[in-house]
Amino acid sequence: MQRLTLAIVQFPRGDNPEENVARMAHYLSRIAPGTDLVLLPEDWLGPAVVDFEEYFKIVEGLAAEMSSRRCLLVSGAQYVRCGGRILSRGIFWGGDLDAPVCFEKLFPSQAIGERDYIAPGTLLPVVEHRGVKVGAVVCVDLMYPEIARSLALEGAALILNPANIPATRMPLWHAVG
């Protein structure tokens, strides 16, 4: 199997999307040369719901800054308005892809009330980058083994878990890990 170098970007986000975009751009500019894949956290833009077209343009701008590196950017997932629904959607961008590919949280969290306003997603793609098939399972979707199993059956050798986990829930995530 091909070896990939992965960078995971995590920072304490604020409620101001513009500041979060600037902070993310700063961190991405510091990614080491030779990095193959960059994973952003869930809701790094902030807790607000944004139009998908707006989020797409933001991720496009970040990906453009990294295009010379040919690394795959995995945008985490963001609450977005799309087709009359609110979804938690992320984007695979760049690297070996011909076009961006979206993925979604399939089971919004009951524990934090997402199911009251976030629709279940349907997009669970596997993409290929540098000869490795990659999938993403957003946050609590990791608790559903059939999701990771589905990605593995599609050939995913690497399954990423963009999440936004508060420190108070770390023992649960350590147990899952």
Side-chain angles (χ1 to χ4, degrees):
M1 176 192 286
Q2 175 74 19
R3 180 178 172 185
L4 295 178
T5 301
L6 169 66
I8 300 172
V9 180
Q10 185 84 38
F11 60 84
R13 67 157 199 232
D15 290 337
N16 182 317
E18 292 82 18
E19 288 177 9
N20 291 335
V21 170
R23 186 175 291 149
M24 183 59 75
H26 168 74
Y27 283 113
L28 292 178
S29 73
R30 299 180 66 193
I31 298 293
T35 299
D36 298 299
L37 196 145
V38 178
L39 175 63
L40 310 186
E42 178 186 33
D43 294 328
W44 64 269
L45 190 58
V49 177
V50 298
D51 289 329
F52 177 67
E53 293 79 16
E54 178 183 350
Y55 187 63
F56 189 90
K57 287 180 182 178
I58 290 168
V59 175
E60 180 179 37
L62 295 173
E65 293 291 323
M66 302 185 69
S67 64
S68 65
R69 299 170 183 244
R70 284 201 54 241
C71 66
L72 179 64
L73 180 65
V74 183
S75 76
Q78 181 65 41
Y79 297 144
V80 297
R81 270 182 228 84
C82 186
R85 302 183 317 153
I86 298 174
L87 299 161
S88 179
R89 179 180 281 176
I91 309 169
F92 291 107
W93 201 303
D96 294 342
L97 300 179
D98 293 329
V101 177
C102 294
F103 59 91
E104 296 170 343
K105 183 184 283 187
L106 304 186
F107 296 104
S109 172
Q110 179 64 38
I112 64 167
E114 284 181 334
R115 291 186 187 173
D116 295 338
Y117 64 99
I118 303 295
T122 60
L123 303 177
L124 191 65
V126 172
V127 300
E128 189 166 332
H129 180 62
R130 308 250 164 101
V132 177
K133 291 190 176 186
V134 180
V137 176
V138 180
C139 196
V140 296
D141 277 359
L142 187 64
M143 304 294 184
Y144 300 90
E146 63 271 20
I147 297 174
R149 184 174 192 274
S150 175
L151 289 169
L153 289 172
E154 292 295 320
L158 175 62
I159 299 175
L160 302 169
N161 180 232
N164 181 12
I165 307 302
T168 57
R169 296 214 175 159
M170 288 312 296
L172 171 64
W173 287 89
H174 287 155
V176 169

